Amino acid sequence: METFTDVLLVTANVGSLFDNVGEIQSEWLKQLYKTIQSYKPQFIALHFQEVGGKDYMLNMGHAENFFWTLESSEEMKDFDRSCIYVDNQFKVEDSFTALGSMYFIHKTLKNVQQYDFHVKNFKAVLEKNRYIGSLDRVTTVEKEKFPKNFWPDFKWSRKGFMRTRWIIHNQGLDLVNVHLFHDASNLIACNSSPSIYSANRNNALRYVISRISDSRQTVLPLFLFGDFNFRLDTLSLVQDLSTAADVQTVKKDSSNEVQRIIYEEKDNDHQVLLRIEEKLFAYLHQAVFREDNGRALLKYDKEVAAFHDVIREEDIKFPPSYPYSEEHAKPTQYMNTRCPAWCDRILMSHTAQDLIHRRDNGEKSVVYNTMGPNVCMGDHKPVFLSFSLKTNDHI
């Protein structure tokens, strides 16, 4: 008999929560609880990236506190089983990913099992399990940092993936938390289309997908959600934004290296339309990124299209998820550090998309959106997907 399990998947780059502790965190949690109360899921998967923030050596203690606060909160009391994985071992440089994954099972949901990679079998989840620290010996999670030799020319950072496997009412699922490489310099990002960073992310994501679907385990429907750092095709976007502008390139005195590019409006008293530097992307008409949820910019969002053979996504109807201002009073403003983009995504295999139940009566059964759109949530707005998963009571 076909049954339905209400599921909530959330991805959140939480770096800002630890770099400005106290200011953002309580409001952030309030928004999460509000989302949970709204959609009433029976199974929740939270995928976090940048646990501990940029100063993780200083702030990792706050991160543990954050996970504990969330797990023990009054709002989560009806979730009687959970599995929590936090990679906080920053001293082990070769394997530290700063990823955290939390899974919560509601008391009304029976028959949930989790895969043990050591015994190669699924086991019932019967209690609350917390693994904070080194995850090397934890047999219910698989974690990998991207190999250093992948990107010899770039700063090697805390990027990688973490995977768990589940059976909910006889339906198997692979859930993968992923963090891909960012754009280090806006100047380099707008040099070519696709940019060199975009090519790196493509390689990394292909690597993850091939690792997940190799012959070591049976291939299951896959949900891949995290901070993919997908960026807009910056070269094409800049060309379109500046068709009627004069361009001025400023080079560093001693070398031929470009320091900044300035676009001035020809017919408007040389008003600066756009300034680009390594870590500056200041566009005069920032509203374009928020108007109609940034819909006019979706045509520049090309990185996921390279994966349409294996990966699907629900329609995006929310504004770019990054880089929001970290100032409390400016929750809908973008920072001028990067061109806004849909970095945070929930992707799925074709087989996973087939498991999403779509009601015929036009009721909103599938919701793909950001959390806390009008509240300061840090530089990334968390992205969630709420849906009913088709499951079976009996095989």
Side-chain angles (χ1 to χ4, degrees), residues 27 42 128 130 157 161 165 182 232 271-272 278 285 303 313 351-352 375:
E27 190 53 70
Q42 295 165 283
K128 295 189 172 186
R130 310 174 76 220
S157 56
F161 65 93
R165 315 186 91 207
H182 63 290
L232 302 183
Q271 164 94 308
V272 173
E278 186 181 349
H285 310 296
E303 295 195 34
E313 184 177 21
T351 49
V375 173

Side-chain angles (χ1 to χ4, degrees), residues 95-299:
S95 65
F96 177 53
T97 61
L99 293 173
S101 298
M102 299 181 89
Y103 304 95
F104 292 93
I105 301 159
H106 197 270
K107 61 186 183 188
T108 58
L109 180 58
K110 305 295 175 227
N111 195 5
V112 176
Q113 297 172 297
Q114 201 186 2
Y115 191 72
D116 184 312
F117 289 92
H118 182 63
V119 298
K120 297 186 168 41
N121 211 343
F122 285 90
K123 296 175 175 174
V125 182
L126 302 171
E127 57 192 355
K128 295 189 172 186
N129 300 303
R130 310 174 76 220
Y131 305 100
I132 295 183
S134 166
L135 303 176
D136 295 346
R137 293 196 175 88
V138 180
T139 58
T140 48
V141 69
E142 199 173 52
K143 187 199 81 168
E144 194 176 326
K145 185 169 177 166
F146 290 118
K148 205 169 189 169
N149 60 348
F150 253 45
W151 295 272
D153 306 339
F154 289 92
K155 184 174 174 283
W156 194 52
S157 56
R158 315 177 286 287
K159 302 294 193 291
F161 65 93
M162 192 188 275
R163 168 201 202 184
T164 54
R165 315 186 91 207
W166 300 82
I167 290 178
I168 301 172
H169 279 311
N170 298 318
Q171 178 54 61
L173 294 176
D174 244 320
L175 302 180
V176 180
N177 184 353
V178 68
H179 194 185
L180 302 185
F181 300 84
H182 63 290
D183 281 13
S185 160
N186 294 320
L187 293 164
I188 292 171
C190 64
N191 266 349
S192 60
S193 169
S195 78
I196 183 168
Y197 306 118
S198 173
N200 283 341
R201 287 188 285 272
N202 186 308
N203 290 341
L205 188 49
R206 284 272 169 220
Y207 176 81
V208 175
I209 292 168
S210 66
R211 267 288 288 105
I212 300 305
S213 48
D214 66 19
S215 56
R216 283 182 241 188
Q217 281 97 19
T218 314
V219 174
L220 293 176
L222 161 69
F223 286 94
L224 191 64
F225 47 118
D227 178 2
F228 292 87
N229 262 312
F230 289 153
R231 303 302 167 101
L232 302 183
D233 178 349
T234 316
L235 178 62
S236 306
L237 173 67
V238 167
Q239 283 170 345
D240 274 12
L241 293 179
S242 60
T243 43
D246 285 325
V247 187
Q248 188 189 341
T249 303
V250 180
K251 300 202 170 173
K252 288 182 183 162
D253 297 342
S254 53
S255 68
N256 212 19
E257 206 182 326
V258 175
Q259 191 171 6
R260 73 175 67 97
I261 309 168
I262 301 166
Y263 298 84
E264 294 178 348
E265 292 184 337
K266 288 177 184 164
D267 49 3
N268 191 14
D269 203 20
H270 296 287
Q271 164 94 308
V272 173
L273 178 69
L274 174 62
R275 270 176 87 106
I276 302 177
E277 293 176 22
E278 186 181 349
K279 288 185 167 41
L280 179 79
F281 191 96
Y283 182 56
L284 182 62
H285 310 296
Q286 204 200 71
V288 72
F289 297 112
R290 293 189 297 270
E291 268 163 24
D292 196 15
N293 292 327
R295 200 164 131 198
L297 304 168
L298 273 169
K299 62 175 181 279

Side-chain angles (χ1 to χ4, degrees), residues 18-134:
F18 310 108
D19 293 327
N20 312 302
V21 172
E23 287 180 31
I24 299 173
Q25 206 172 104
S26 61
E27 190 53 70
W28 194 103
L29 285 168
K30 208 184 286 178
Q31 293 298 318
L32 173 66
Y33 301 144
K34 211 166 121 181
T35 308
I36 291 168
Q37 280 154 10
S38 253
Y39 296 100
K40 300 184 172 46
Q42 295 165 283
F43 183 88
I44 301 174
L46 308 176
H47 283 179
F48 299 122
Q49 307 83 38
E50 291 285 340
V51 171
K54 289 177 189 68
D55 292 326
Y56 49 84
M57 294 183 187
L58 205 63
N59 293 330
M60 199 48 94
H62 298 310
E64 281 189 47
N65 215 4
F66 166 73
F67 285 96
W68 175 242
T69 304
L70 206 170
E71 184 196 15
S72 59
S73 68
E74 178 65 18
E75 287 84 355
M76 301 305 287
K77 71 177 190 303
D78 288 337
F79 293 86
D80 59 356
R81 286 147 294 159
S82 57
C83 296
I84 297 172
Y85 304 95
V86 184
D87 175 13
N88 68 358
Q89 296 296 291
F90 55 81
K91 289 182 176 150
V92 191
E93 198 200 358
D94 283 3
S95 65
F96 177 53
T97 61
L99 293 173
S101 298
M102 299 181 89
Y103 304 95
F104 292 93
I105 301 159
H106 197 270
K107 61 186 183 188
T108 58
L109 180 58
K110 305 295 175 227
N111 195 5
V112 176
Q113 297 172 297
Q114 201 186 2
Y115 191 72
D116 184 312
F117 289 92
H118 182 63
V119 298
K120 297 186 168 41
N121 211 343
F122 285 90
K123 296 175 175 174
V125 182
L126 302 171
E127 57 192 355
K128 295 189 172 186
N129 300 303
R130 310 174 76 220
Y131 305 100
I132 295 183
S134 166

Side-chain angles (χ1 to χ4, degrees), residues 287-353:
V288 72
F289 297 112
R290 293 189 297 270
E291 268 163 24
D292 196 15
N293 292 327
R295 200 164 131 198
L297 304 168
L298 273 169
K299 62 175 181 279
Y300 302 108
D301 176 64
K302 297 175 179 175
E303 295 195 34
V304 81
F307 293 89
H308 278 167
D309 55 333
V310 285
I311 291 292
R312 293 283 171 87
E313 184 177 21
E314 293 297 305
D315 290 344
I316 292 178
K317 290 174 181 162
F318 50 87
S321 62
Y322 169 87
Y324 281 91
S325 168
E326 293 172 299
E327 286 182 52
H328 239 238
K330 298 179 178 174
T332 60
Q333 281 286 112
Y334 288 107
M335 287 192 282
N336 286 333
T337 48
R338 298 275 185 255
C339 177
W342 288 275
C343 291
D344 309 274
R345 313 282 276 256
I346 298 174
L347 309 179
M348 63 202 85
S349 63
H350 296 203
T351 49
Q353 196 174 42

